[in-house]
Amino acid sequence: MTQSHPRISKAVIPAAGLGTRFLPATKATPKEMLPVVDKPAIQYVVEEAAAAGLDDVLMVTGRNKRPLEDHFDRNYELESALGRKGDAARLAKVQESSDLATMHYVRQGDPRGLGHAVLCAAPHVGDEPFAVLLGDDLIDPRDPLLRRMIEVQEQHGGSVVALMEVAPEQIHLYGSAAVETTTDSDVVRVGGLVEKPDPADAPSNYAVIGRYVLDPAVFDVLRKTEPGRGGEIQLTDALQQLAADEKVGGPVHGVVFKGRRYDTGDRGDYLRAIVRLACEREDLGPDFRTWLRRYVTEEMQQP
């Protein structure tokens, strides 16, 4: 018999990074505001949270991130201009971002790692389980990963991480989880986590991707977590402690994701994400796919 746990309503989105891999574009524009087709990447993430029923969103920002707040706020001058023109379609798109969820903001101050960014959310979250969504990972709305993770957390308590199988030679780019199977084919029990291990030392090729549902006990653990890899406070290190002793904050489970994920974390993957999403759009896809096939064919014929 499963145990009932509090309903999750809050999402935390860390967005304080400097975006150095996208310079010079991110010199004055937050990387989260770079467009993926015709929406900034961060809007896809907020939409995902809202679709999973998380209507209270805290964004952890830093200096020069004011455009994030402006994007999810009302723009009365623009809305009025579009209304006078009778441009209902664009008006709806402009208003959509401000109607997604109740947005809150807190500044991280010092960039001390993902664990520290999550800790900045403690006063807002309080003593409730909550979700964390990283902006570099876009999850296709047809694959409700976050909703499934919330379901697992409500059944088992504790914390839940999203896992994806990757090639062994790529595991050094991720946190790696030691796992045990459960009666659910897509759920595993996590016994340990290692941040960006050498392939020879990785406990598995199950990589942690940017979705978490966390027990509030993680805050006390983070307060005591020393800086780890890269001199930063790693969320993975705190989760390792929770996995090692479930008395601290319940067990740690993983949901194994096999759906569509768009990585916007580096320039190449960002471009591939744009192409994939554009190809799947009903309004853009047919013409864009035709052009893309022709372009690729012509390029292959080049000496």
Side-chain angles (χ1 to χ4, degrees):
M1 184 175 181
T2 57
Q3 184 179 355
S4 177
H5 295 276
R7 177 185 173 272
I8 298 170
S9 63
K10 294 180 179 178
V12 175
I13 303 177
L18 298 176
T20 53
R21 285 178 289 183
F22 284 84
L23 287 170
T26 50
K27 179 181 178 181
T29 301
K31 74 167 185 175
E32 296 84 4
M33 289 300 297
L34 295 180
V36 180
V37 189
D38 54 3
K39 287 190 296 190
I42 195 68
Q43 183 170 331
Y44 289 88
V45 181
V46 176
E47 287 174 350
E48 181 187 350
L54 309 182
D55 54 8
D56 184 317
V57 177
L58 175 71
M59 205 167 289
V60 183
T61 67
R63 288 179 291 275
N64 302 321
K65 299 285 184 169
R66 181 62 184 271
L68 294 173
E69 299 185 33
D70 291 341
H71 179 72
F72 292 101
D73 198 0
R74 299 291 299 273
N75 186 326
Y76 293 103
E77 294 82 0
L78 177 58
E79 292 177 25
S80 177
L82 292 172
R84 288 195 301 271
K85 292 180 180 179
D87 196 339
R90 287 191 174 88
L91 177 59
K93 288 183 177 180
V94 167
Q95 292 176 331
E96 181 182 14
S97 61
S98 58
D99 295 335
L100 285 171
T102 301
M103 302 295 298
H104 308 271
Y105 304 89
V106 63
R107 286 199 174 191
Q108 184 177 6
D110 297 325
R112 297 171 56 194
L114 176 59
H116 181 258
V118 171
L119 186 55
C120 291
H124 181 79
V125 170
D127 192 25
E128 302 176 30
F130 63 103
V132 174
L133 298 85
L134 305 190
D136 285 347
D137 284 335
L138 307 187
I139 305 297
D140 195 291
R142 293 168 293 184
D143 300 312
L145 169 63
L146 187 57
R147 192 174 302 162
R148 174 59 173 152
M149 294 175 67
I150 291 172
E151 181 181 87
V152 171
Q153 199 280 337
E154 289 175 342
Q155 290 175 346
H156 300 288
S159 298
V160 182
V161 298
L163 302 174
M164 178 176 279
E165 287 192 83
V166 300
E169 61 271 17
Q170 292 183 318
I171 195 65
H172 71 283
L173 301 172
Y174 302 88
S176 174
V179 302
E180 300 174 3
T181 59
T182 71
T183 55
D184 292 318
S185 60
D186 65 334
V187 178
V188 294
R189 181 72 173 262
V190 176
L193 292 151
V194 182
E195 179 67 16
K196 297 182 178 179
D198 291 331
D201 300 325
S204 75
N205 65 329
Y206 282 101
V208 181
I209 59 175
R211 297 294 180 271
Y212 309 82
V213 178
L214 302 177
D215 186 277
V218 74
F219 293 131
D220 285 336
V221 177
L222 284 168
R223 291 185 183 101
K224 302 171 186 175
T225 299
E226 296 294 328
R229 190 178 182 92
E232 298 181 334
I233 298 174
Q234 298 290 347
L235 179 59
T236 303
D237 293 342
L239 287 169
Q240 160 62 26
Q241 293 187 49
L242 293 176
D245 183 3
E246 69 175 69
K247 294 179 182 178
V248 176
V252 178
H253 286 85
V255 170
V256 180
F257 182 62
K258 298 182 179 179
R260 289 154 285 201
R261 167 179 173 255
Y262 310 106
D263 185 354
T264 61
D266 65 42
R267 292 170 297 176
D269 287 333
Y270 170 74
L271 293 173
R272 283 185 281 272
I274 292 174
V275 170
R276 290 173 64 186
L277 286 167
C279 284
E280 295 181 2
R281 287 268 295 262
E282 291 184 3
D283 57 338
L284 297 173
D287 288 343
F288 185 67
R289 288 194 300 268
T290 298
W291 173 84
L292 190 60
R293 291 190 191 99
R294 185 169 62 247
Y295 175 76
V296 171
T297 300
E298 292 171 353
E299 282 295 301
M300 290 178 65
Q301 294 174 350
Q302 294 294 326

